Amino acid sequence: MSFSKCLTLKNMNPCLKKIEYAVRGPLVIRAAEIEKELKEGKKKPFNRVIRANLGDCHAVGQVPITFFRQIIALIAYPGLLSDPNFPKDAKERAKSILNGCRGSSVGSYPDSSGFEIVRRHCAEYIENRDGIPADWQNIIIGNGAKDVIKAVMELLISEINGKKAGVMTPIPQYPLYSAAISKFNMHMIGYYLDEATNWSLNVSELERAVNEAKEYCEPRAIVVINPGNPTGQVLTRKNIEEIIKFAHKENLFILADEVYQHNIYDANSKFFSFKKVLMEMGPPYNQMELASFMSCSKGYMGECGLRGGYCEITNLDPEVQKILIKSISAMFCPNNIGQAVLDCVVNPLKKGDPSYELFEKEKNFILDSLKERAKMVYEGFNACEGMSCNVVQGAMYAFPQIKMPPRAVEKAKSLNQCPSVFYCFQLLEQTGVCVVPGAGFGQVEGTYHFRTTILPQPEELKHMLNIFKTFHEKFLAEYK
Amino acid sequence: MSFSKCLTLKNMNPCLKKIEYAVRGPLVIRAAEIEKELKEGKKKPFNRVIRANLGDCHAVGQVPITFFRQIIALIAYPGLLSDPNFPKDAKERAKSILNGCRGSSVGSYPDSSGFEIVRRHCAEYIENRDGIPADWQNIIIGNGAKDVIKAVMELLISEINGKKAGVMTPIPQYPLYSAAISKFNMHMIGYYLDEATNWSLNVSELERAVNEAKEYCEPRAIVVINPGNPTGQVLTRKNIEEIIKFAHKENLFILADEVYQHNIYDANSKFFSFKKVLMEMGPPYNQMELASFMSCSKGYMGECGLRGGYCEITNLDPEVQKILIKSISAMFCPNNIGQAVLDCVVNPLKKGDPSYELFEKEKNFILDSLKERAKMVYEGFNACEGMSCNVVQGAMYAFPQIKMPPRAVEKAKSLNQCPSVFYCFQLLEQTGVCVVPGAGFGQVEGTYHFRTTILPQPEELKHMLNIFKTFHEKFLAEYK
């Protein structure tokens, strides 16, 4: 008996077909296959895959913060509250979280926007960071920042004068944004970051991008990732002011991805939140609409797998905010464990607390080590002939440029691959090092990059950079 | 200086405006206000709010399963693996979960569809349940069932011959479906459950609904909730077969919400999964496309706040499945704690395991008590004059009908309220009992219902039913 599917490529949601997501794309799938082959005893010129493709700290040896994990154990299994091996401050914090849970169990539903107590702590954290008031009712917690990024972007889906909503997005960009734009049937307005000035945002480039786009879409929002992913830059206050002025002129909603706000390594760089700058610029800028995103997955904690993140919305139309809250309550629910971790991040231990010394030691060890690794990566790639890499001022990534030999470009094109993809596949197959091709993030036509994390532990990273140098020299020799 | 918002009610996403979600709607918001007022010492004719509005077991006194919580403590804080107070089987399970995590930390990213080991256990669970093979690669894990329900529904968004996709949805229904349909700009094709035959699905009603809908939409899928929410019925195998035949005739994708599969109370009822029935019906039915949803939030565990759920997809076009997986990897990430709980549910302890006896005792205590409460609710509401309630065969809810006095209907209409909303607000304000009006789920025009959970602990439930009876008599007297 014949049978035709009711759901096929032809009649499925066309927007989903357009989604691309390189950080978990074909190269990463191949890396997993190679790991399996190695496990099965297959001979390779290397004995393990080095994963520098994903900002996944714990996967590559980062140790969790003790206090955070004690909290999870205590709230999940409150019998431990009488265990003398757990410190007093951890028990107190655990009790206050359980107090915020209905029925004193983390198994009960939180409010859809998250626990009031955690939202209040987020607001206090922001106030302390910026010196600007923050209202806890403007905080929405999700299962990681992804949930809340999508929820805010969805507000902007609309058709105006027959034109789709356009969202300005950096190139190179973190592909969550392009994926969401595809899925939401919006238009991506790519603006190029300026590699020559350490990936800063150039207003004339923003102007070019928005003006060209106006013909075929209605520009509604601008995404800025600061510190940068995949580019590792930290925006100056002056640059942020320029972006805000531009957004004001074009009446754009600002989406500030600030999940790496704890990850600043460069002595000359400082993190300024968009909220702080916008508020301090005074009228009319301090009335602009802004959403800022933060996560437990990055920073010094790196708790990606526990899924905690928040959004602060500023100056949203109160009627629109009501609809946002309503739509969230129907569609989302943040997990309670991720919220507890978020609470630890935004309401950190204070001097004098029994666990403070250990916490500070662990936190600083990680941040100091990341700083060291940021430098290693910068120096390592710049030491390779035909490669250049900007200073990694912040975040967890570098985006080095490869001066690709013309014969390698030809070879890649003959395989119907972007040369950056070709390069990264060769690297993976020959050395086991897994990085993500620049094509997955976007790059100026005719330039070739890759994104690497700075996350492998220092010894491993040194090893990786050596492998890279040897591979790169061999590659240049082969295609010169 | 004047300032106009860039995002307003006029130019925001129109689909979000249409979303309604009664289970967290105005009545529930009012209940929270009343709780605050009571805390502040405001005098009311009652001293606490009794929440019977949400399937939130732990919020109303259900105790977590010890073994599950031990697992969370152990994986979050592996120092406890050497604590002699934790049983051996919990430690072994925790180690196997940590083994499945990159870097042996629950802080690392899982694969977007979830850990392979948990997906394999889900497939084994389904095989054991149905006696039908299940492929772990067809299992997708989310932050609760909501994530995966949305992901599957999104596949169906499309416009065919200028018509929106239509999704058949029961009335009354769990409003997640209507909310998702609004958000996705699809068309909801409501089909009425037959209250007279204990909320069964009547094929002639399905025919009516689909035929009327064909004029203005393209029917693509049918949602069936079994056991039923808000209606508490358990479908017979015969009824499921009829639904499958109907779906086949109309070429519909079946979305089977089976999250209450552990919650069967009626001695004459048995849970049959759509997968089992469809497969056992043989060709052509065993080639039909189906997605079945399951969750940790319900059953005997009730771990709503930890967010673990899965979907099994059956017979999906492999090309469509690839796109589903790709879109999930860009947009979703299940939390690892929810996955660990899911693992405990689908790979339960076995006789002889050190923790088995305690686990069985706790599980059976909860399920036996729910069975008793299902009966109490059924009997309690039927003992009220002018109220009728079907047997609660399964799930966690009853949906009693109120024979509303005409004067009460008039009064409600004068307030521009559905009489069911009017009734529930009166109940809340006068007694502190919080249930959800039938209007939030849908009901046959001119009939009035409410949804109550069966979840308050037995003594509290008895108290609630007494309050209800007194209130209801007073209400009838007032409006007779």
Side-chain angles (χ1 to χ4, degrees):
Chain A
M1 224 179 280
S2 84
F3 195 88
S4 64
K5 299 280 178 198
C6 55
L7 185 62
T8 65
L9 280 185
K10 277 193 185 155
N11 66 14
M12 73 170 291
N13 183 342
C15 298
L16 298 182
K17 288 193 259 185
K18 289 181 290 175
I19 290 179
E20 287 184 21
Y21 197 59
V23 296
R24 300 206 178 203
L27 202 114
V28 183
I29 293 167
R30 177 67 192 133
E33 284 170 9
I34 291 176
E35 275 173 339
K36 270 200 178 166
E37 289 170 13
L38 285 169
K39 255 192 192 167
E40 289 159 3
K42 199 160 174 186
K43 285 268 173 284
K44 301 262 176 194
F46 50 89
N47 61 15
R48 67 184 183 282
V49 169
I50 299 180
R51 283 184 174 267
N53 58 294
L54 200 59
D56 191 1
C57 310
H58 292 204
V60 289
Q62 184 175 312
V63 175
I65 300 287
T66 303
F67 182 75
F68 290 19
R69 296 306 192 87
Q70 286 172 334
I71 298 298
I72 301 176
L74 288 163
I75 59 176
Y77 192 56
L80 293 170
L81 286 167
S82 56
D83 185 332
N85 292 315
F86 282 79
K88 196 165 149 276
D89 48 0
K91 289 178 185 172
E92 277 167 16
R93 165 90 55 145
K95 280 182 202 161
S96 91
I97 293 170
L98 288 173
N99 243 334
C101 299
R102 293 195 185 94
S104 299
S105 167
V106 290
S108 60
Y109 283 116
D111 288 339
S112 309
S113 303
F115 290 126
E116 183 174 325
I117 180 162
V118 183
R119 294 166 74 196
R120 284 186 184 275
H121 288 153
C122 290
E124 285 165 20
Y125 163 82
I126 294 167
E127 274 190 29
N128 290 335
R129 183 193 67 196
D130 293 343
I132 305 276
D135 181 346
W136 70 272
Q137 299 196 72
N138 291 335
I139 306 291
I140 299 169
I141 300 175
N143 291 299
K146 270 189 185 183
D147 264 9
V148 283
I149 291 173
K150 286 185 288 175
V152 172
M153 288 183 73
E154 270 176 338
L155 289 173
L156 296 156
I157 303 174
S158 57
E159 209 164 277
I160 296 177
N161 304 325
K163 286 175 180 170
K164 287 183 195 177
V167 178
M168 298 192 70
T169 310
I171 301 178
Q173 57 114 17
Y174 174 49
L176 167 63
Y177 293 99
S178 51
I181 289 169
S182 295
K183 175 168 152 163
F184 296 152
N185 199 20
M186 295 166 138
H187 189 88
M188 176 169 150
I189 307 171
Y191 64 85
Y192 288 94
L193 301 176
D194 184 9
E195 187 166 8
T197 58
N198 210 42
W199 303 112
S200 70
L201 276 74
N202 184 319
V203 173
S204 65
E205 166 59 12
L206 295 176
E207 304 270 9
R208 178 207 61 79
V210 81
N211 288 329
E212 284 181 16
K214 281 175 186 168
E215 279 181 47
Y216 42 85
C217 74
E218 181 76 22
R220 301 289 309 269
I222 181 167
V223 173
V224 185
I225 310 174
N226 179 45
N229 176 6
T231 37
Q233 84 281 32
V234 177
L235 298 183
T236 62
R237 184 177 177 121
K238 184 168 162 288
N239 202 180
I240 295 174
E241 286 177 3
E242 291 165 348
I243 298 162
I244 290 172
K245 285 180 184 166
F246 167 80
H248 178 256
K249 185 166 71 72
E250 298 291 341
N251 203 25
L252 300 175
F253 195 111
I254 301 175
L255 302 170
D257 182 333
E258 299 176 327
V259 301
Y260 297 98
Q261 59 192 261
H262 290 261
N263 300 98
I264 311 290
Y265 314 120
D266 184 66
N268 301 314
S269 296
K270 195 181 160 196
F271 172 73
F272 293 96
S273 75
F274 267 80
K275 165 114 178 275
K276 179 183 176 69
V277 176
L278 176 149
M279 286 298 170
E280 289 178 353
M281 286 168 76
Y285 307 107
N286 62 1
Q287 295 165 54
M288 288 174 69
E289 292 142 276
L290 165 72
S292 160
F293 307 106
M294 175 58 180
S295 169
C296 300
S297 302
K298 310 301 172 188
Y300 56 88
M301 47 285 178
E303 293 282 13
C304 322
L306 300 179
R307 311 309 301 141
Y310 76 77
C311 166
E312 185 197 18
I313 46 182
T314 300
N315 291 328
L316 193 63
D317 180 317
E319 293 301 315
V320 176
Q321 189 152 338
K322 270 188 209 160
I323 292 171
L324 173 64
I325 299 297
K326 185 188 66 174
S327 98
I328 279 172
S329 74
M331 307 306 286
F332 288 95
C333 182
N335 83 83
N336 291 340
I337 303 295
Q339 291 194 72
V341 174
L342 189 56
D343 193 68
C344 293
V345 173
V346 295
N347 183 20
L349 288 161
K350 283 165 195 70
K351 208 161 185 163
D353 291 339
S355 303
Y356 177 77
E357 301 289 339
L358 178 63
F359 167 68
E360 280 293 302
K361 196 179 132 200
E362 290 175 341
K363 182 177 87 169
N364 292 332
F365 175 79
I366 293 166
L367 290 174
D368 290 346
S369 172
L370 285 171
K371 187 173 175 174
E372 178 199 334
R373 285 178 265 168
K375 194 165 163 251
M376 282 169 71
V377 163
Y378 165 71
E379 290 174 353
F381 287 116
N382 282 315
C384 291
E385 189 201 327
M387 239 194 242
S388 61
C389 180
N390 275 326
V391 177
V392 181
Q393 296 172 321
M396 297 179 169
Y397 315 96
F399 199 66
Q401 182 171 162
I402 314 157
K403 285 198 190 67
M404 195 72 70
R407 279 194 49 235
V409 175
E410 273 166 43
K411 173 76 180 174
K413 291 192 172 160
S414 75
L415 296 167
N416 219 359
Q417 282 182 332
C418 168
S420 71
V421 174
F422 173 70
Y423 183 90
C424 292
F425 262 110
Q426 293 290 316
L427 177 74
L428 175 63
E429 296 287 350
Q430 290 179 32
T431 70
V433 172
C434 181
V435 295
V436 185
F441 305 92
Q443 49 196 352
V444 170
E445 173 116 28
T447 68
Y448 306 106
H449 301 76
F450 58 89
R451 183 187 84 167
T452 178
T453 74
I454 61 166
L455 295 178
Q457 294 299 302
E459 271 310 300
E460 182 81 338
L461 185 61
K462 199 171 148 189
H463 176 60
M464 182 183 107
L465 291 167
N466 285 336
I467 291 175
F468 233 115
K469 195 163 193 302
T470 311
F471 166 81
H472 189 69
E473 283 166 4
K474 205 176 133 228
F475 183 88
L476 290 189
E478 193 173 343
Y479 292 101
K480 79 159 180 229
Chain B
M1 221 178 279
S2 85
F3 195 88
S4 64
K5 300 278 179 197
C6 57
L7 186 61
T8 65
L9 280 185
K10 277 193 185 153
N11 65 16
M12 73 170 290
N13 182 344
C15 299
L16 298 182
K17 289 194 259 185
K18 290 180 291 173
I19 290 179
E20 287 183 21
Y21 197 59
V23 296
R24 299 203 179 205
L27 202 115
V28 182
I29 293 167
R30 178 67 192 132
E33 284 169 11
I34 291 177
E35 275 173 341
K36 270 200 178 165
E37 291 170 14
L38 286 170
K39 255 193 192 166
E40 289 158 4
K42 199 160 174 187
K43 286 268 173 284
K44 302 262 177 194
F46 48 89
N47 61 14
R48 66 184 183 282
V49 169
I50 299 180
R51 284 184 173 266
N53 59 293
L54 200 59
D56 191 1
C57 311
H58 292 204
V60 288
Q62 184 174 311
V63 175
I65 299 288
T66 303
F67 182 75
F68 290 19
R69 295 306 193 88
Q70 287 172 333
I71 297 299
I72 301 178
L74 288 163
I75 60 176
Y77 192 56
L80 292 170
L81 286 168
S82 56
D83 183 332
N85 291 315
F86 281 78
K88 195 165 153 274
D89 47 0
K91 290 179 184 172
E92 277 166 17
R93 166 89 56 148
K95 282 182 202 161
S96 91
I97 293 170
L98 288 173
N99 243 334
C101 299
R102 293 193 186 93
S104 298
S105 168
V106 289
S108 60
Y109 282 116
D111 289 338
S112 309
S113 304
F115 290 126
E116 182 173 326
I117 180 163
V118 183
R119 295 165 75 197
R120 284 185 184 276
H121 288 153
C122 290
E124 284 165 21
Y125 162 81
I126 294 166
E127 275 191 27
N128 290 334
R129 183 193 67 195
D130 293 342
I132 306 275
D135 181 347
W136 70 273
Q137 299 197 73
N138 291 336
I139 305 292
I140 298 169
I141 300 174
N143 290 300
K146 270 188 185 184
D147 264 9
V148 283
I149 290 173
K150 287 186 287 175
V152 172
M153 286 182 75
E154 271 176 337
L155 289 173
L156 296 156
I157 303 175
S158 58
E159 208 164 277
I160 295 176
N161 305 324
K163 287 177 183 170
K164 288 183 194 176
V167 177
M168 298 191 72
T169 309
I171 303 178
Q173 55 112 20
Y174 174 49
L176 167 63
Y177 293 99
S178 51
I181 288 169
S182 296
K183 174 167 152 162
F184 296 152
N185 200 19
M186 294 165 139
H187 190 87
M188 177 169 148
I189 307 171
Y191 64 85
Y192 287 93
L193 300 176
D194 185 9
E195 189 165 8
T197 58
N198 210 41
W199 304 112
S200 70
L201 277 74
N202 184 319
V203 173
S204 64
E205 166 59 12
L206 295 176
E207 303 270 9
R208 178 206 62 77
V210 82
N211 287 330
E212 283 180 16
K214 280 177 188 168
E215 278 181 47
Y216 42 83
C217 73
E218 181 75 22
R220 301 289 308 268
I222 180 167
V223 173
V224 185
I225 310 174
N226 178 45
N229 176 4
T231 36
Q233 83 280 30
V234 176
L235 298 183
T236 62
R237 182 176 180 123
K238 185 169 162 289
N239 202 181
I240 295 173
E241 286 177 5
E242 289 165 348
I243 298 162
I244 291 172
K245 284 181 185 165
F246 167 79
H248 178 257
K249 184 166 73 72
E250 298 292 341
N251 203 26
L252 300 175
F253 195 110
I254 300 174
L255 301 169
D257 183 332
E258 298 175 328
V259 300
Y260 297 98
Q261 58 192 262
H262 290 271
N263 300 97
I264 311 290
Y265 314 119
D266 183 64
N268 301 314
S269 296
K270 196 182 161 196
F271 172 73
F272 293 96
S273 75
F274 268 79
K275 165 112 178 276
K276 179 183 175 69
V277 176
L278 176 147
M279 286 299 173
E280 289 179 354
M281 284 168 77
Y285 306 107
N286 61 1
Q287 295 165 52
M288 287 174 70
E289 292 142 275
L290 166 71
S292 160
F293 306 106
M294 175 59 181
S295 169
C296 300
S297 303
K298 309 301 171 187
Y300 56 89
M301 47 286 176
E303 293 282 14
C304 321
L306 301 178
R307 312 309 300 140
Y310 76 77
C311 165
E312 184 196 19
I313 45 181
T314 300
N315 291 328
L316 193 64
D317 180 318
E319 293 301 315
V320 176
Q321 189 151 337
K322 270 188 208 160
I323 292 171
L324 173 64
I325 298 298
K326 185 187 66 175
S327 99
I328 280 172
S329 74
M331 307 306 286
F332 288 94
C333 182
N335 83 83
N336 291 340
I337 303 295
Q339 291 194 71
V341 174
L342 190 56
D343 193 68
C344 293
V345 173
V346 294
N347 183 19
L349 288 160
K350 282 166 196 68
K351 208 163 184 163
D353 292 338
S355 303
Y356 177 78
E357 300 289 338
L358 178 63
F359 167 68
E360 281 292 303
K361 196 179 131 201
E362 291 175 339
K363 181 177 88 169
N364 291 331
F365 175 79
I366 294 166
L367 290 174
D368 289 348
S369 172
L370 285 172
K371 187 171 173 174
E372 178 198 335
R373 286 178 265 168
K375 193 165 164 253
M376 283 169 72
V377 164
Y378 165 71
E379 290 173 353
F381 287 115
N382 282 316
C384 292
E385 188 201 329
M387 236 193 242
S388 61
C389 180
N390 275 326
V391 177
V392 182
Q393 297 171 321
M396 297 179 169
Y397 315 98
F399 199 66
Q401 182 171 161
I402 314 157
K403 284 197 190 66
M404 195 72 72
R407 280 193 48 236
V409 174
E410 272 165 44
K411 171 80 180 171
K413 290 191 173 161
S414 75
L415 296 166
N416 220 358
Q417 283 182 332
C418 168
S420 69
V421 174
F422 174 70
Y423 182 91
C424 292
F425 263 109
Q426 293 292 313
L427 177 74
L428 175 64
E429 296 288 348
Q430 292 179 32
T431 70
V433 171
C434 181
V435 296
V436 185
F441 305 92
Q443 49 198 352
V444 170
E445 173 116 28
T447 68
Y448 307 106
H449 301 75
F450 59 87
R451 184 187 84 168
T452 179
T453 73
I454 61 166
L455 295 177
Q457 294 298 302
E459 272 310 300
E460 181 82 338
L461 186 60
K462 199 172 150 189
H463 175 60
M464 181 183 107
L465 290 167
N466 284 336
I467 291 176
F468 232 115
K469 196 164 191 302
T470 311
F471 166 81
H472 188 69
E473 282 166 4
K474 202 177 134 228
F475 183 89
L476 290 190
E478 193 175 343
Y479 292 102
K480 79 157 179 229

